[in-house]
Amino acid sequence: MLELPELDHVRGALTNRFAGAPITGIEVTNSKTFQVNVDEWRKDIVGAVVWFIERRGKHLLFHLDNGKRLILHLTQAAYLYIGSAEDAPDKTAQVQIKFGERFVYAVGLRSESIKLLSVREVEEMFSELGADPLDKKLTLNRFIDRFAKKRSSIRQALLDTSILNAIGSAYADEILFRAGLLPDAKIPLLEKETWERLYEAMHNVLQEAISYGGAGDYPFAADDQLTGGYISKFKVYNREGEPCPTCGAAILKLEQSGRKAYYCGTCQKDK
DNA sequence: AGTTATACCCGGACGC
DNA sequence: TGCGTCCGGGTATAAC
């Protein structure tokens, strides 16, 4: 499971280790599937220095000093691992970025999830995508505006990547619980005060999760003790039948357009 | 025409 | 170990 906090967590680890370091090599397994010409890429990548690593939605962007951006889109069961040739993950890594003796392994990538773009192409790509939930430019009013024309349930909209990026099932459930809002609450019925609660809950939950190292399933390196620290902090996600930490009522599960939503039927209201 | 709902894709996980 | 099956985020397509 990778959502915003997990990606922010690994982004920080990557920046700490590799900011200012030159890339010495890159390998892409099964490059036909990924429709990537690795030999062409090497001209731009090998020898380039990584300034820093940025997260935008569920994408990680390696900023290179030659103006190129190496982009990994991490979804589903994907994860990154920092190790050596001997200390590699068990699973097939579709991408290996080499920094001397240390490699960044990307496991579980889907096709179309590796890109090497210019700055201009990056801006075009992200102009189509939703706002980053923790972007400082996403003020309360702009947050509300993004939902203005929607008539769906609030949970579906939270998962809509054209509205917000990088929130998945787990954090959608946790944010709605924190806000005291039911997953099937209808957007047109929500009032300003509810939006304020939701906006604040989104920031609090995501930032708290980042501070606990996220809820990722795999450590990003052999000495990583932090990753997954937030799994035990989930209050409703994946906890059907367990008591609500606030009121003690059993956590419920709802099927919503084929997606599972976990919530407390007592603490969460429809507006 | 714009939104919402459904179908399908495809790595990984799991069971046999 | 390998195959079939399920899962679920993302995306394309259908329905409204």
Side-chain angles (χ1 to χ4, degrees):
Chain A
M1 190 209 79
L2 282 183
E3 300 179 29
L4 187 150
E6 292 70 42
L7 285 164
D8 229 39
H9 179 57
V10 74
R11 178 205 58 76
L14 289 168
T15 293
N16 286 341
R17 285 165 173 76
F18 299 120
I23 297 179
T24 58
I26 181 166
E27 303 292 336
V28 178
T29 62
N30 203 359
S31 56
K32 278 186 181 174
T33 302
F34 292 92
Q35 298 180 341
V36 159
N37 187 333
V38 192
D39 294 329
E40 282 295 316
W41 278 22
R42 286 203 181 89
K43 295 175 192 165
D44 283 320
I45 291 178
V46 175
V49 171
V50 173
W51 276 337
F52 61 93
I53 293 94
E54 177 193 17
R55 181 193 58 74
R56 285 207 208 177
K58 289 190 181 179
H59 303 262
L60 290 179
L61 286 70
F62 289 72
H63 286 240
L64 309 185
D65 66 348
N66 58 15
K68 293 287 186 177
R69 303 290 179 258
L70 177 63
I71 302 175
L72 302 178
H73 187 203
L74 303 175
T75 63
Q76 297 281 102
Y79 63 96
L80 297 185
Y81 188 80
I82 302 165
S84 64
E86 295 75 31
D87 176 28
D90 301 336
K91 307 289 181 273
T92 304
Q94 287 80 14
V95 181
Q96 301 176 24
I97 308 167
K98 301 183 178 179
F99 295 86
E101 299 301 311
R102 288 186 299 175
F103 301 171
V104 175
Y105 296 94
V107 178
L109 294 184
R110 309 282 293 264
S111 55
E112 298 295 316
S113 53
I114 321 166
K115 290 186 169 71
L116 183 67
L117 301 180
S118 67
V119 171
R120 181 188 299 255
E121 289 165 332
V122 168
E123 294 313 319
E124 285 172 15
M125 173 181 164
F126 284 96
S127 66
E128 302 288 320
L129 291 173
D132 192 275
L134 296 184
D135 187 339
K136 287 186 168 54
K137 293 194 287 292
L138 185 68
T139 60
L140 173 63
N141 285 334
R142 286 179 181 163
F143 176 75
I144 297 172
D145 283 347
R146 299 198 72 87
F147 295 90
K149 290 176 180 173
K150 290 288 168 181
R151 296 191 291 273
S152 68
S153 71
I154 186 61
R155 187 171 189 280
Q156 277 182 310
L158 284 174
L159 299 177
D160 184 336
T161 52
S162 69
I163 299 179
L164 293 172
N165 232 309
I167 291 179
S169 279
Y171 289 101
D173 286 348
E174 293 301 312
I175 289 165
L176 288 170
F177 177 79
R178 185 78 59 104
L181 197 55
L182 284 167
D184 56 357
K186 292 291 179 287
I187 287 174
L189 301 179
L190 302 184
E191 293 167 2
K192 183 75 183 283
E193 186 271 332
T194 310
W195 288 114
E196 288 171 3
R197 262 166 37 219
L198 187 64
Y199 183 78
E200 190 177 353
M202 178 177 80
H203 284 87
N204 289 344
V205 167
L206 294 176
Q207 279 162 356
E208 190 176 296
I210 292 169
S211 74
Y212 279 96
D217 298 314
Y218 304 96
F220 62 72
D223 60 354
D224 167 27
Q225 302 290 319
L226 285 172
T227 294
Y230 199 64
I231 294 175
S232 64
K233 305 289 178 184
F234 282 136
K235 293 182 165 66
V236 292
Y237 171 68
N238 217 10
R239 294 196 181 282
E240 183 185 17
E242 295 180 33
C244 166
T246 302
C247 75
I251 299 299
L252 304 174
K253 182 171 77 175
L254 171 74
E255 286 267 347
Q256 202 180 52
S257 301
R259 308 253 152 107
K260 299 180 186 70
Y262 299 91
Y263 65 103
C264 173
T266 308
C267 295
Q268 294 171 247
K269 310 293 184 189
D270 61 2
K271 62 175 66 174

